[in-house]
Amino acid sequence: MTAGSQPKVFIAACSPRSGGNSDYAASMLQHFFSGASHVLRVADIPLHPCSSCGHCAVHPGICSSKGDGAPELFAHVARARLTIMVSPVYFYHLPAQAKAWVDRTQAFWNLPEADKPAAGNFFAAVLIGARPRGAKLFEGADLTLRYMAQALGMEWIQPLALYGLDGRDALKNNAQAQRQIREFAENAGRVSGALADACVP
C-alpha cells in the first residue's frame, strides 16, 4: 500500500469484551491483509441507537442523530474495498453495540442504488458461536448483516460461521478454526479484489 492511500480492508471487531475470540480473529485478518487493513472495535465507538424518527424516510441518506461515531464507521466502510465484521453471537444475534450500528444503516435504505455510500464494495462477516451446534444459531446475524450490506449498496459474501469457540482463548487454541479464517480471508480478498493490494505473508 502506498503512503497516504486508504486501507483496502476495514475490519470491525464487534465484541463488547476486549481480548477475546472476536478480537483475536480480527487481529488474524489484519495480519493476513498486512499493510492494507484497518481494525476498529465497535464497542469503543460511541453510538446512538436508531430512534425510528422517520427523518431518513423524508431525507434519504441523512440521519437526525448527531455527535456519535456512526459517520466515522460508515466512512471506513465507504472507503474500503472489503469490510469484514467479526462478531460473537449472543442470543442468536449480534451484540447490542454492533446491532445499534447496524440499525443506523436504515438512513441509507431509501437512497437510489447509485447513491448508496458503499456502492460496489464488498461485505463479509466472521461469526463466532460458543455453542458446538445449532442449525439456526447464525441465522439472525446473517440475515441482518445481509440487509445492512444491501442498504449500503454492497456485494454480500457468504459469512464464515464458527461453532464451539467457548472461552476467551478458544480460538487462540484452535488450529482448525484459525485455518478456516485464513481460507475465508483469502477467498473474500480474491472475490473483492482487495487481496491484490495486501502484502499477504
Side-chain angles (χ1 to χ4, degrees):
M1 195 170 68
T2 59
S5 62
Q6 295 292 338
K8 299 298 181 181
V9 182
F10 174 51
I11 302 161
C14 295
S15 177
R17 178 182 68 178
S18 63
N21 295 311
S22 295
D23 281 3
Y24 189 78
S27 70
M28 284 186 63
L29 291 166
Q30 185 177 32
H31 178 72
F32 183 87
F33 293 107
S34 177
S37 61
H38 179 62
V39 177
L40 281 179
R41 279 182 38 80
V42 174
D44 294 340
I45 309 291
L47 291 168
H48 302 154
C50 174
S51 63
S52 192
C53 67
H55 183 82
C56 63
V58 180
H59 307 282
I62 302 174
C63 182
S64 65
S65 186
K66 307 293 182 186
D68 72 346
E72 175 192 359
L73 288 170
F74 287 126
H76 282 294
V77 174
R79 288 193 296 261
R81 181 64 179 161
L82 170 65
T83 292
I84 306 176
M85 285 183 71
V86 186
S87 180
V89 171
Y90 293 168
F91 284 88
Y92 291 82
H93 220 294
L94 303 170
Q97 296 86 348
K99 184 58 165 61
W101 177 34
V102 171
D103 290 350
R104 292 287 295 280
T105 312
Q106 178 67 36
F108 309 111
W109 187 260
N110 288 318
L111 283 174
E113 289 300 318
D115 295 335
K116 303 280 190 182
N121 292 342
F122 289 77
F123 193 92
V126 175
L127 303 174
I128 299 172
R131 293 179 58 185
R133 64 185 64 85
K136 297 184 178 181
L137 180 60
F138 300 101
E139 281 190 2
D142 183 306
L143 187 60
T144 294
L145 292 176
R146 198 180 289 262
Y147 279 96
M148 180 182 187
Q150 184 174 336
L152 291 166
M154 305 176 80
E155 298 291 330
W156 175 245
I157 296 173
Q158 190 66 25
L160 172 63
L162 298 170
Y163 287 91
L165 294 176
D166 190 12
R168 182 182 291 270
D169 295 324
L171 176 57
K172 199 176 295 185
N173 298 320
N174 190 317
Q176 179 181 356
Q178 292 177 31
R179 184 172 61 253
Q180 287 177 273
I181 290 172
R182 286 191 293 269
E183 291 172 352
F184 177 78
E186 182 173 6
N187 177 68
R190 293 196 188 286
V191 168
S192 66
L195 198 59
D197 298 294
C199 303
V200 179

